[in-house]
């Protein structure tokens, strides 16, 4: 996950915009915004330390 976020930051720098400009974006119209994607990726691991 961190590698993908680093790529997104590099892309934002290449575009000349801050990384905050990427947070509300969606990769496809039916996807959630970037801010929601890491939460969904981490949700199955929360509470699974047993």
């Amino acid at each position: 996950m961190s590698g993908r976020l680093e790529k997104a930051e590099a892309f934002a720098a290449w575009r000349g915009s801050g990384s905050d400009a990427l947070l509300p974006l969606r990769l496809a119209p039916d996807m959630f915004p970037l801010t929601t994607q890491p939460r969904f990726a981490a949700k199955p691991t929360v509470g699974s330390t047993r």
Side-chain angles (χ1 to χ4, degrees):
M1 180 68 70
S2 64
R4 291 177 188 241
L5 293 174
E6 288 172 5
K7 285 183 180 184
E9 287 178 337
F11 176 72
W14 176 78
R15 278 182 55 185
S17 61
S19 57
D20 290 343
L22 298 177
L23 296 178
L25 297 181
R26 300 166 187 244
L27 294 176
D30 63 341
M31 290 183 72
F32 288 102
L34 180 60
T35 54
T36 307
Q37 297 295 333
R39 285 190 295 161
F40 284 145
K43 191 168 184 159
T45 62
V46 174
S48 64
T49 57
R50 294 183 206 185

